[in-house]
Amino acid sequence: MVLRAGRFSRTRTVVAGLSAVAALLAGCGGSAPNDAEDRDTLVLPGAAGDFQLNFNPFSPTLLEGPGTIFEPLFFFNNTRDVEPRPRLAESFRWNADGTRLDVELRDGVKWSDGRAFTAADVVFTFDMITRNPGMNGTGYRGTATAVDDTTVSIEFPEPSYLEGPQVLGKVVIVPRHRWEGYADPASEALEEPVGTGPFVLEEFKAQAFTLRANPTYWGGEPAVKKVRYISLSGNQAIADALKAGRIDWQSGPVPDIANVEENYPGYKAITVPMNQTALFTCSNAALGCQGPQTDVAVRKAIYYAINRTQVNALAFENTSSEISPGAALLGRDEAQISTGLRERAAPMRPDVAKATAALESAGYAKGSDG
């Protein structure tokens, strides 16, 4: 999402939002670069406080890695209706009943330590997350087999077409020859990451770390030569860094997002239509959840009582998009939304009458306080 025009260092990008919401995409301009390294370095804010050295892509405390150091088999664009883009694999196909997924891998790929990438690495990765539930973030339940060095076949216990984007796009592949010696890979604090991605770790310090372009990357050495993450203590420090032009990309809340270009000269904002207002709650009494929300009538009443327009204005600076009750993206996923769904979008305004009817039909009586 970085626009690279003229000198790179002052091509600025900001991502703003309160979940994974909006992106502020860069314009050009600003002060002149200090040196050649600045022109080729993308600077991003990292977490507040000292960085803890950990590049394990399966760890909840990882610093960075998926997409830069490590790669999945394909890249799935969550905001556009486009075909998945090949990364470590070039093609895939399902059998007739959706119980087997055959994947053809990219030939000639090297790990950043020079070893060859093969189907054995893919099988090892999927077997590893199967043995370690804490690493299995997609709920993968298949069995992977290496047919040959560039072909993997994955068998599923039932039709699993919908698992395709999870298996192919969300599981990053790691090198067997480095990971098979880890006694507990889920908790391994990976200090020297080896991947197939476009970047490798160059330098780590507690207040900043730098990735540099991988000269042997299968897709060719990236035009962006370095990516530097700097520690900034909270949203105000990030806003100050934007004012000073110290960073090129931001992925946290930005005050007054509608006026980014005025408040932060040289930056532009793009809102990615994935920010949706929804309520998630512990609802299944059989699983130990307690409280009135375990009653579907109460949840339905809350659903109709939420003032999503107000929440959008106060919490999301009017960047939130409509949401389908099935969590599909309206517009892009229209074909996937059931025709039997009476409401294709959750109401943006509260409907007191429907909320009251849902409760009264379930036997609830309105109290004297209303």
Side-chain angles (χ1 to χ4, degrees):
M1 297 178 69
V2 174
L3 297 178
R4 192 170 189 272
R7 55 183 184 268
F8 178 77
S9 66
R10 292 282 71 83
T11 295
R12 302 170 181 167
T13 303
V14 184
V15 176
L18 299 173
S19 16
V21 181
L24 306 175
L25 197 61
C28 302
S31 58
N34 293 324
D35 51 38
E37 181 181 9
D38 282 345
R39 288 195 298 270
D40 293 333
T41 301
L42 180 68
V43 182
L44 297 88
D50 289 351
F51 293 126
Q52 303 300 313
L53 184 54
N54 181 12
F55 290 91
N56 183 337
F58 300 101
S59 170
T61 60
L62 84 159
L63 281 177
E64 174 57 43
T68 49
I69 298 173
F70 302 98
E71 295 180 294
L73 299 174
F74 288 85
F75 169 74
F76 285 77
N77 191 321
N78 290 331
T79 64
R80 292 184 181 177
D81 186 13
V82 294
E83 292 296 314
R85 297 180 63 178
R87 307 317 296 163
L88 289 177
E90 294 189 319
S91 65
F92 65 90
R93 64 181 180 276
W94 288 94
N95 66 349
D97 64 359
T99 58
R100 189 183 74 245
L101 178 62
D102 295 321
V103 184
E104 292 297 324
L105 304 178
R106 188 180 297 276
D107 195 13
V109 175
K110 299 284 187 182
W111 294 101
S112 55
D113 65 358
R115 296 280 290 269
F117 160 78
T118 71
D121 296 304
V122 178
V123 172
F124 170 80
T125 300
F126 283 111
D127 287 350
M128 178 178 65
I129 66 173
T130 300
R131 294 192 306 270
N132 296 273
M135 304 173 75
N136 191 359
T138 67
Y140 168 76
R141 295 189 301 128
T143 301
T145 303
V147 178
D148 54 42
D149 278 353
T150 58
T151 309
V152 173
S153 183
I154 305 174
E155 299 278 350
F156 295 91
E158 58 189 7
S160 301
Y161 292 114
L162 294 179
E163 295 302 310
Q166 313 296 323
V167 173
L168 298 171
K170 290 191 175 181
V171 179
V172 296
I173 308 303
V174 296
R176 175 182 175 179
H177 66 278
R178 302 284 295 221
W179 284 67
E180 61 187 350
Y182 299 150
D184 184 4
S187 62
E188 180 71 23
L190 195 62
E191 297 184 0
E192 299 179 0
V194 170
T196 59
F199 292 91
V200 296
L201 178 64
E202 178 181 74
E203 179 185 48
F204 175 86
K205 294 181 179 179
Q207 292 297 313
F209 65 92
T210 303
L211 307 182
R212 62 175 172 81
N214 181 357
T216 62
Y217 182 51
W218 58 262
E221 184 175 341
V224 177
K225 298 308 177 186
K226 293 187 180 184
V227 181
R228 180 176 298 124
Y229 297 79
I230 60 175
S231 175
L232 293 172
S233 57
N235 294 336
Q236 185 56 55
I238 291 173
D240 292 343
L242 290 173
K243 287 281 189 183
R246 292 178 54 215
I247 57 178
D248 301 300
W249 179 290
Q250 154 64 1
S251 58
V254 175
D256 194 16
I257 190 173
N259 296 302
V260 163
E261 293 185 52
E262 177 182 342
N263 297 335
Y264 308 102
Y267 295 88
K268 291 188 177 180
I270 287 182
T271 300
V272 178
M274 292 184 65
N275 183 25
Q276 299 168 329
T277 304
L279 173 68
F280 295 87
T281 181
C282 185
S283 62
N284 193 329
L287 296 179
C289 297
Q290 298 179 352
Q293 80 283 356
T294 57
D295 187 335
V296 66
V298 172
R299 299 199 302 276
K300 184 178 290 187
I302 294 173
Y303 171 84
Y304 284 115
I306 293 176
N307 188 337
R308 293 175 177 80
T309 298
Q310 183 184 53
V311 172
N312 186 16
L314 296 178
F316 297 105
E317 296 192 51
N318 293 309
T319 62
S320 178
S321 57
E322 285 189 311
I323 184 173
S324 164
L329 291 179
L330 298 175
R332 190 198 72 173
D333 298 332
E334 288 288 337
Q336 311 301 322
I337 301 176
S338 171
T339 55
L341 197 62
R342 280 181 254 172
E343 296 178 352
R344 297 180 72 79
M348 292 300 291
R349 300 281 183 180
D351 191 325
V352 177
K354 284 187 177 181
T356 300
L359 291 173
E360 290 182 342
S361 64
Y364 291 89
K366 186 177 289 189
S368 58
D369 59 358

